[in-house]
Structure formats: C-alpha cells, structure tokens
Amino acid sequence: MTTLRKASSNAARRSEASRQAILTAAFDLVNEVGYAKLSIEGIAARAGVGKQTIYRWWPSKGMVLFDAFLMLGEGSDGEAVLPDTGDLEADLKAVLRATVAELNDPRYDEPMRALNTEIMHDPALAAAYAERLDGPMKELKRQRLRDAQRAGQLADDLDLDVAVEMLWGPLLNRWLQRGGPLTSEYADAVVETALNGLRPRR
Amino acid sequence: MTTLRKASSNAARRSEASRQAILTAAFDLVNEVGYAKLSIEGIAARAGVGKQTIYRWWPSKGMVLFDAFLMLGEGSDGEAVLPDTGDLEADLKAVLRATVAELNDPRYDEPMRALNTEIMHDPALAAAYAERLDGPMKELKRQRLRDAQRAGQLADDLDLDVAVEMLWGPLLNRWLQRGGPLTSEYADAVVETALNGLRPRR
Amino acid sequence: MTTLRKASSNAARRSEASRQAILTAAFDLVNEVGYAKLSIEGIAARAGVGKQTIYRWWPSKGMVLFDAFLMLGEGSDGEAVLPDTGDLEADLKAVLRATVAELNDPRYDEPMRALNTEIMHDPALAAAYAERLDGPMKELKRQRLRDAQRAGQLADDLDLDVAVEMLWGPLLNRWLQRGGPLTSEYADAVVETALNGLRPRR
Amino acid sequence: MTTLRKASSNAARRSEASRQAILTAAFDLVNEVGYAKLSIEGIAARAGVGKQTIYRWWPSKGMVLFDAFLMLGEGSDGEAVLPDTGDLEADLKAVLRATVAELNDPRYDEPMRALNTEIMHDPALAAAYAERLDGPMKELKRQRLRDAQRAGQLADDLDLDVAVEMLWGPLLNRWLQRGGPLTSEYADAVVETALNGLRPRR
DNA sequence: TGATAACCGAGACGGTACGTCCTGTCTTACA
DNA sequence: TGTAAGACAGGACGTACCGTCTCGGTTATCA
C-alpha cells in the first residue's frame, strides 16, 4: 500500500496535518453552529487552512463530514464484536440501549444529523456510508444474529438483513424524526416485540 | 370560530391566491431543482410573489414545505381508513406495498426528502409534522392493529406504537439512507417477520 | 380663499391634523435619522398616519420636506424686512452673520441639506422652492440693495440679482460642500470684498 | 512607494480591470438612470462584477462616484494652468464661461449633481473632494489671481480664497439650485461685478 | 544541487441567496 | 370620501458563502 502511494502520484504530497485539522474542525463546528450554518469557509478558517485545500481533496461538504466520522472510529477498529453471553434478548437490549445512548449524546447528535442529511440527498455519499461506516456495523449485528440462529434461538428462515433493520430501524427513525422519546425502555420494548413478533404466541 | 375571525384582524387580509401559489411553487420547485437548490427567492419568483409575503407568513423554508404537503392532503381528508379484509397479513402487505410505491414515486421523492431534512434539524417543525401529518396517519395504522388485536390476531400486551414503528421504520430508513432496494418483496418480508417475530415459532 | 377651498372639491375633507403631524414628523425625523434614512414609511409611522395619506397629498418626499419648511415660516410671515440703519456694510454683515448662524444651527442643518438635495434632482421642486421660499427672501435682499442703490451707495448699473448671489452664493456653497469654516469673519470678508470689488480702489 | 506596495499585501491582488469597469459603469449609469435610481446592484451588474467587489474596496456609493471623477481627470493631469493673457477680466470671463459650459454639459450634469449630493451628506467624502478634486482646481484659480495681484491688478489685501468663492460660488449655486439661467452672459456679469465691486467706483 | 512541480495559506473574484427595509399600489373597516 | 392600518409585488440593501482563480512561499522528487 505504501509503495502504491506513489502510483496515485499527487496524493503523496498531501498534508496529513491539514487533513486532520479539517476533519476535526468540521466535526467540532457542526456541533457548535449546527448543520445549517456549517460552511466550507468556516471549516477552512477554523482549521487554519486555505479553502482550496478542502476543495482539492473532498468533493462535497458531506464527504468531509463522512471522513470526520471515519477518523473518529479509526482507533477502535481492530476486531470489534457484539456481546454474546448466550442470552440473546439481554445482549440485544444492551446493544440497543447503547445505540440509544449514543443517539442521545449531545456531542454526536448534530454531527450525525448532518451526516444523515447529506446522505439523504447524495447517493454517492450514501453508498460510501453503506460501505465504510454502516456496512461493518451491520455485519457485526448480522453476525450476532447468525450465531443465535445457529444456536436455534432464531428462526431458521429468518432474513438477517430484515431482522437487523427491524431492530434498529425504529430507533433510527424516532431519532431522525423526533417521533417520540428515545429511551432504554423503548429499546427494550423493540427487542421484546421483535423477538416475539406481533402475533400472540401459541 | 368563523365569527371570531375578525378578532385576529390582520390575518384576515391574507391573500389566499398568494398562499396557494407559494405552496405550489415550493412543491414543484423542490422536485425540479432539488432540496439543495431550493431557495425562498426561487419560490417567490416562481409564485410571482414578493419575498416578504413568504417571510411574513412562514417562519422557515421547512414550514413552507410542510404546508405544501398539508395542502396536498387537504382534499382527501374525510374519514380515510386502512383496509380491513379480516386477513391482517394481507392487509398490512398491501399497505406497506403502497408505502413503498409512494416512497419510490419520483414526484414525491425529493419533496419528502426535503421535508424530512428540515424536520431533522427543526424540533418545532418535527412537532408540527408529528401532530398534523404523521399523527393522523399513525392513528389509522394503530386503529387497524387495534382491531386485529381485539380479534385476537395480535398479542394482547402488544404496544401498538412499537408495532407501528417496527413495521414502517425499516421502510422509512431504507428510503432515507438508501440502505438497500425498497421493493414490494421487502415490504412483504418485513410484515411476515414482524408478525412472526425473530424467534422460531415452536 | 376659504370660500374657494370647496371649489377644488376633494381637498375640503383633508385632515388638517394629519397634514401637520406629517410635516412635523418629516422635519423631526430628517434631523434625527438623516436624509439617507428618511422614509415615507417612517414619516407615516411617526405621524401616526397611513402611508396612503402621504401619497394622496404629496407627489414626492421632497415636497413633504418643502411643505414642512413652509409650515415653519408660516407664523412669521407678515411684512418682514431687512435692517436698514443707513450703514449698508454693517447691515449686510449683520444679515450674512445671521445666515451663517442659521446654516450652522444643528436643528436646521440636516433638514436644509435634505431639502437642497431634493431640489438638486427635482426641477419641479426647485421651481416651487424658487417661487415660495427663496423668492420672497431674495426679494427682501434685492429690496435692501435697491434702497442702497437709490441712496447712491451702490453702482447705478448694478444687477441686483448678481449682487445678491455674489453675497450669499459663497456662504451657501461653503455650507453645502463644507468647503471651509463658515464663520462670522468669513461673512464679513465676503461683504467687504463684494462691496469694494477685487480690484484695487484707485 | 512602489517598493512598499508589497507591504500592504492584500491590495496588491486587486483587480485593476474590475476597478475600471466599476468606475466606468458608475459614471455611465448615473447619467442614464439618474442619481435616485443609481444602485450598487446596478453598478455591479453593469460592470460584470460581484457586489462584494464594490463593498470590498469602497466605503460608500459616493466614494465610487468620487473615484469615477478622479479617473476621468487622470489623463490630463500634468501641469494644467489657467490662461494668462495679461487681461485679467477677459481671462476670468473665459474660464467662467468654460465652467458654465461644463455645468450645462448633459454628460456631466447628473454625475456632478450626484457627487455633490453625496458630498452634501458625507463629511469624509467632502474632505476627499476638497483635497483631491476641488483643491487642485482652486489652487489654479488662486494662482491666476495671485499673479494678477502681483501685477497690481487686484487689491493688495485681497483674500484670494474669498475672491475665488465670490467668482465661482454664484455659478455653482445657480446650477445646484437651478436658481436662474446659467449663461455666458451671467458669467460675464459675475466677473465684472466682482472685479468692480457693488459700490460705485470713484 | 538546482529545477520544477505539486501543495499550501491566503484571499480576491463573479455569483447566488439571504433576510430586511422601503416603495408605491391596493384593500379593508371605520368614521 | 378620507383615513389608519397594513398586505401586496417588487427591488435594493449589505452580508455570507459558493466554487474558481491567482499569488507567493514551502517542500520533496527528479535531472
């Protein structure tokens, strides 16, 4: 990879310091001033960088935001995995409660809304998001469900994608549309309802 | 109420023609140029209206969009109701397929994304949306589930809000984040999975 | 005159109270906010009057200002006359010093600049000014000079209009263009120089 | 001075083409549409320039106009001098007739009225005018009078400033206030009256 | 060990849109 | 009919950013 760097030739000279300053500034600024007032000009000024440096390396404001999120998750990469105590319901509740906590965290609220806004209007960014950020996370979730499925705790014919979306979709939606209080209790109710289904059991 | 109209006095002079022209222009424009390029200036020009007339009556671009959606649904109000053939699964599939069709309709895609974007960043607008647009729709959905519940087709202790969000949340989310193809088959899978639950049924 | 009022028919119903309020408001406002920020809207608001009432009775902002000046001079009309002590030079110095004092009076500075600005760009207003405000004043000045001429104190073939303008023109000009300090000494110097001429006497 | 240019640094990047386009547009426009309808927006559009480029370099519309006048006189600078044939009266008449012609020239009428209007309400602009435009012209006039004074054609104790203002003031004033026809005959009368004084000679 | 080419900060540039203010006209309700 | 009030279409204000550009200055590679 390092040797290939030279192949793309121009990227070699890219200033890592500027890149970091820009991403940090973008993330901080969106928090401070909100999505509506986030501007390339403001990011450049805050980062102590020329506007051209942003335009040179990123195709859109959304991509800057996207990279800022990527940078955040860079340290913890490794081989993250969802908890598996054997108690699927408890594990799912724990994970969904964590999701609720993150969505309610004021430090991430505005930046995540901003990123979602951009994704909503930019298919290219949506694809990048699906591949780089949401994809790995979703695979983890699918993996946990797959393990449970193998253990006979989930239906054999269960579509894991649908299952994941049925668990997280309601949360995401409540958060984006502010369609109700986003609490641990809600997370628990979603897990229970999803596992048991809407129909009466037996 | 009609007799009290005179009391509020100034709103009485409001031009209904301008109001309609603005809402129509807003809806049409967001479709043609996209959310990012939707401007108050553009709406005013398209509607043949002074900008001040927009600023006088609406607090934000999002509220204009919101009213434009309200206007759309004005004719069909009456006593809409979700289909009830007795076959809950079939009925839900029909309704979710209709939702999918609407979300995929290019005439509504951009306007709805635009509205959702504004909602995402404006709690006041989110509240208005929840009360005036989403609320009535959700009540219809809850009502259909309530009927099924009474008929013994749904669990007695089911939280209908959670149920509704578990059915529609995944669709909304796929659409907003473009997290996969939004097809009738997907709608069917969501209905089946939600009804049966993730766990093996005996 | 009173009887003819009704002949012009519509003017009969004109509200004198509104007229005075408007003129007073115009004069006061131009002083407070300056010519550049003087607006019909502002005058109407200050006068507690509808905008239409101004547009109905005055053709332009300049005419309102003009009438405001007319109103000021209404009380003192009668048969004003310039001092005539027999000492022409002393009399002229006194009058020009009075002019200087008036031009330096902060209460009249802005309003007079405003009026002059409008005159400068509106021939109709200029004509009205020449006839109703400047004309009578000029006639007084001419009259004083005419008396002096008859007494042999001024050249027989002197063009009194030229004489008046040579005395007051320099003052007006210094004031309008702020082309130097506008003092009593300057007024005296102008009188002396004008009376004696530029050439050496003998 | 040339070497210090780099020190002021940012002004170095100023676009000379834009500057000229703006000044030309301003001068032309004020002629075409008149002072009242002269707008920064209009100047920018006519010059093919962003509004910000005007706001960046000029503090007011008046200063733009002022610079436009400066630009006009730039070519002819050198060592202009008033005619000196030895016949002071003839020379002054020639110069005042030229002034009259210029004031009557429709190409300069509106622009000069506009500039004078701005000067009338902006002391800073008035100072700039006095120093850069009116000052040099006045010095020329004073110089011609000084030469005549040395030749014994003017009174020894004559205040040249007063003399200049007594010659040109009446013209300026007639022009600004449209206080009468501005003709060559008037110019001649002013010269004769000023030279001889109002009093009978002998 | 220069030459040279890309990056960098800075920020001017032509533009678009903002949200506000005012214009002159029109409409409503009252006296 | 005149009036206070104020909505209306329109247009300019002065500001903020957009995305492009040009300017010197600084690396970092190649001749």
Side-chain angles (χ1 to χ4, degrees):
Chain A
M1 203 208 246
T2 318
T3 48
L4 286 184
R5 241 338 144 59
K6 238 178 277 178
S8 75
S9 86
N10 55 342
R13 298 185 188 262
R14 180 166 183 179
S15 157
E16 180 59 18
S18 292
R19 186 182 151 271
Q20 299 234 355
I22 288 164
L23 299 180
T24 303
F27 191 86
D28 292 354
L29 262 184
V30 80
N31 222 316
E32 293 173 23
V33 304
Y35 168 72
K37 296 199 172 181
L38 181 68
S39 66
I40 299 275
E41 201 132 318
I43 296 170
R46 163 73 80 107
V49 136
K51 282 198 292 175
Q52 198 57 249
T53 302
I54 300 183
Y55 285 109
R56 196 174 1 248
W57 299 110
W58 286 275
S60 70
K61 203 162 63 179
M63 279 296 183
V64 176
L65 237 15
F66 175 75
D67 274 11
F69 271 86
L70 269 188
M71 187 181 58
L72 279 189
E74 244 158 39
S76 61
D77 257 333
E79 288 304 299
V81 90
L82 259 34
D84 188 346
T85 64
D87 182 345
L88 177 64
E89 185 169 332
D91 288 354
L92 285 177
K93 283 181 177 174
V95 176
L96 261 72
R97 279 164 177 253
T99 299
V100 163
E102 197 184 325
L103 294 176
N104 282 328
D105 185 334
R107 283 176 304 160
Y108 296 103
D109 186 83
E110 264 295 317
M112 286 176 83
R113 284 181 196 280
L115 183 56
N116 272 279
T117 298
E118 297 286 352
I119 283 168
M120 205 182 294
H121 295 284
D122 179 351
L125 181 54
Y129 176 73
E131 196 199 339
R132 310 284 310 277
L133 275 176
D134 195 38
M137 206 57 222
K138 227 169 185 170
E139 177 51 30
L140 253 41
K141 297 167 185 168
R142 252 186 268 112
Q143 190 51 51
R144 179 63 187 83
L145 295 186
R146 188 148 37 224
D147 291 343
Q149 196 176 31
R150 284 190 187 126
Q153 297 165 336
L154 293 179
D156 284 339
D157 61 348
L158 183 64
D159 182 326
L160 298 181
D161 272 318
V162 170
V164 167
E165 289 170 41
M166 202 172 315
L167 286 163
W168 273 271
L171 266 58
L172 256 293
N173 242 67
R174 271 216 173 182
W175 174 66
L176 284 178
Q177 299 196 340
R178 299 180 212 266
L182 197 59
T183 62
S184 302
E185 289 70 36
Y186 181 66
D188 291 355
V190 168
V191 170
E192 289 166 19
T193 311
L195 287 176
N196 294 328
L198 309 182
R199 287 203 241 266
R201 292 199 77 82
R202 186 146 1 250
Chain B
M1 201 208 247
T2 319
T3 48
L4 287 183
R5 202 47 93 53
K6 235 177 277 180
S8 76
S9 94
N10 60 337
R13 254 103 126 161
R14 179 165 185 180
S15 158
E16 179 60 18
S18 292
R19 188 183 149 268
Q20 299 236 357
I22 287 164
L23 298 181
T24 303
F27 192 86
D28 292 354
L29 262 184
V30 79
N31 222 315
E32 293 173 24
V33 305
Y35 170 72
K37 297 199 171 180
L38 181 68
S39 64
I40 299 274
E41 198 130 330
I43 295 171
R46 163 74 80 110
V49 137
K51 281 199 288 177
Q52 199 59 42
T53 300
I54 300 183
Y55 286 108
R56 185 157 28 230
W57 300 110
W58 286 275
S60 69
K61 204 161 61 179
M63 278 298 183
V64 176
L65 238 14
F66 174 75
D67 273 11
F69 271 86
L70 268 188
M71 187 181 56
L72 280 189
E74 245 158 37
S76 61
D77 258 330
E79 288 305 301
V81 89
L82 260 35
D84 189 346
T85 64
D87 181 344
L88 176 64
E89 184 170 333
D91 288 353
L92 285 178
K93 284 181 177 175
V95 176
L96 261 72
R97 279 163 175 253
T99 300
V100 163
E102 197 183 327
L103 294 176
N104 282 328
D105 186 334
R107 282 177 304 161
Y108 295 103
D109 186 82
E110 264 296 316
M112 286 176 85
R113 283 181 196 280
L115 182 56
N116 271 278
T117 298
E118 298 287 351
I119 283 168
M120 205 181 293
H121 295 284
D122 179 351
L125 181 55
Y129 176 75
E131 196 199 338
R132 310 284 310 277
L133 277 176
D134 197 36
M137 205 58 222
K138 227 169 183 169
E139 177 50 29
L140 254 41
K141 296 167 185 169
R142 250 186 270 111
Q143 191 50 53
R144 179 65 187 84
L145 295 186
R146 187 148 36 224
D147 291 343
Q149 198 176 30
R150 285 192 185 125
Q153 296 164 338
L154 293 179
D156 282 340
D157 61 348
L158 182 65
D159 182 327
L160 296 181
D161 271 317
V162 171
V164 165
E165 290 171 39
M166 203 171 317
L167 285 163
W168 273 270
L171 266 57
L172 256 294
N173 243 67
R174 272 215 172 181
W175 173 66
L176 284 179
Q177 299 194 340
R178 300 182 213 265
L182 197 59
T183 62
S184 300
E185 289 70 34
Y186 180 67
D188 291 355
V190 167
V191 171
E192 290 165 20
T193 312
L195 286 176
N196 294 329
L198 308 182
R199 289 204 239 264
R201 290 194 80 81
R202 185 109 9 244
Chain C
M1 202 207 247
T2 319
T3 48
L4 288 183
R5 229 359 130 56
K6 238 178 274 178
S8 74
S9 89
N10 56 341
R13 302 200 187 244
R14 181 166 184 180
S15 157
E16 180 59 17
S18 291
R19 186 181 151 272
Q20 298 234 356
I22 288 164
L23 298 181
T24 304
F27 192 86
D28 291 354
L29 263 184
V30 79
N31 223 316
E32 292 173 24
V33 305
Y35 169 71
K37 298 199 169 178
L38 180 68
S39 65
I40 299 277
E41 201 134 317
I43 295 170
R46 164 73 81 107
V49 136
K51 282 198 292 176
Q52 198 57 248
T53 303
I54 300 183
Y55 284 109
R56 190 163 17 236
W57 300 110
W58 287 274
S60 70
K61 204 162 62 179
M63 279 298 183
V64 176
L65 236 17
F66 175 75
D67 273 12
F69 271 87
L70 269 187
M71 188 180 58
L72 280 190
E74 245 159 36
S76 62
D77 256 333
E79 287 306 301
V81 90
L82 259 36
D84 188 348
T85 64
D87 183 344
L88 176 64
E89 185 172 331
D91 289 353
L92 285 177
K93 283 182 177 175
V95 177
L96 261 71
R97 278 164 176 251
T99 300
V100 163
E102 196 183 328
L103 294 177
N104 281 328
D105 185 334
R107 283 178 303 160
Y108 296 103
D109 186 83
E110 264 295 318
M112 285 176 85
R113 283 180 196 279
L115 182 57
N116 271 279
T117 298
E118 298 286 353
I119 284 168
M120 207 183 293
H121 295 284
D122 179 350
L125 182 55
Y129 176 74
E131 197 199 340
R132 310 283 310 278
L133 277 175
D134 196 37
M137 205 59 222
K138 227 168 183 170
E139 177 50 28
L140 253 42
K141 296 167 186 169
R142 250 185 270 111
Q143 190 51 51
R144 178 64 186 84
L145 295 187
R146 189 148 35 225
D147 291 343
Q149 197 175 31
R150 284 191 186 126
Q153 297 165 336
L154 293 180
D156 284 339
D157 60 348
L158 183 64
D159 181 327
L160 297 181
D161 273 316
V162 170
V164 166
E165 289 169 41
M166 202 171 317
L167 285 163
W168 274 269
L171 266 59
L172 256 294
N173 243 67
R174 272 215 172 183
W175 173 65
L176 285 177
Q177 299 196 339
R178 299 181 213 267
L182 197 60
T183 61
S184 301
E185 287 70 35
Y186 181 66
D188 290 356
V190 168
V191 171
E192 289 166 20
T193 311
L195 288 176
N196 293 327
L198 308 183
R199 288 202 239 265
R201 291 196 79 80
R202 189 126 1 241
Chain D
M1 199 208 249
T2 318
T3 49
L4 287 183
R5 201 48 93 54
K6 234 178 274 180
S8 77
S9 94
N10 60 337
R13 252 100 127 163
R14 179 166 184 180
S15 159
E16 179 60 19
S18 292
R19 188 182 149 270
Q20 299 236 354
I22 288 164
L23 299 181
T24 303
F27 192 86
D28 292 354
L29 263 183
V30 79
N31 223 315
E32 292 173 24
V33 306
Y35 169 72
K37 298 201 169 177
L38 181 67
S39 65
I40 298 275
E41 199 129 330
I43 295 171
R46 164 74 79 107
V49 137
K51 280 199 286 177
Q52 200 59 44
T53 301
I54 299 182
Y55 285 109
R56 187 156 27 228
W57 300 110
W58 286 276
S60 69
K61 205 161 61 179
M63 278 297 183
V64 176
L65 237 17
F66 175 75
D67 273 11
F69 272 86
L70 268 188
M71 188 180 57
L72 280 189
E74 244 158 38
S76 60
D77 257 332
E79 288 305 302
V81 90
L82 259 35
D84 189 347
T85 64
D87 182 344
L88 176 64
E89 183 171 333
D91 288 353
L92 284 177
K93 284 181 177 175
V95 176
L96 261 74
R97 280 164 175 249
T99 300
V100 164
E102 197 183 325
L103 294 176
N104 283 328
D105 186 333
R107 283 178 304 160
Y108 295 103
D109 185 83
E110 265 295 317
M112 286 176 84
R113 282 181 197 279
L115 182 56
N116 271 279
T117 298
E118 298 286 351
I119 284 169
M120 208 180 293
H121 295 283
D122 179 351
L125 181 55
Y129 176 75
E131 196 199 339
R132 311 282 312 276
L133 276 176
D134 196 37
M137 205 58 222
K138 227 169 183 169
E139 177 51 29
L140 254 42
K141 296 166 186 171
R142 249 185 271 111
Q143 191 51 52
R144 179 64 187 82
L145 295 187
R146 188 147 36 226
D147 291 342
Q149 195 176 32
R150 284 189 186 128
Q153 297 165 337
L154 294 179
D156 283 339
D157 60 349
L158 183 65
D159 182 325
L160 296 182
D161 272 317
V162 170
V164 165
E165 289 170 40
M166 201 172 316
L167 285 164
W168 273 270
L171 266 56
L172 256 294
N173 242 67
R174 271 214 172 183
W175 174 67
L176 285 178
Q177 300 195 339
R178 299 181 212 266
L182 198 58
T183 61
S184 300
E185 288 70 34
Y186 181 66
D188 290 355
V190 168
V191 170
E192 289 166 20
T193 312
L195 286 176
N196 294 328
L198 308 183
R199 287 203 241 265
R201 293 198 78 83
R202 189 157 354 257

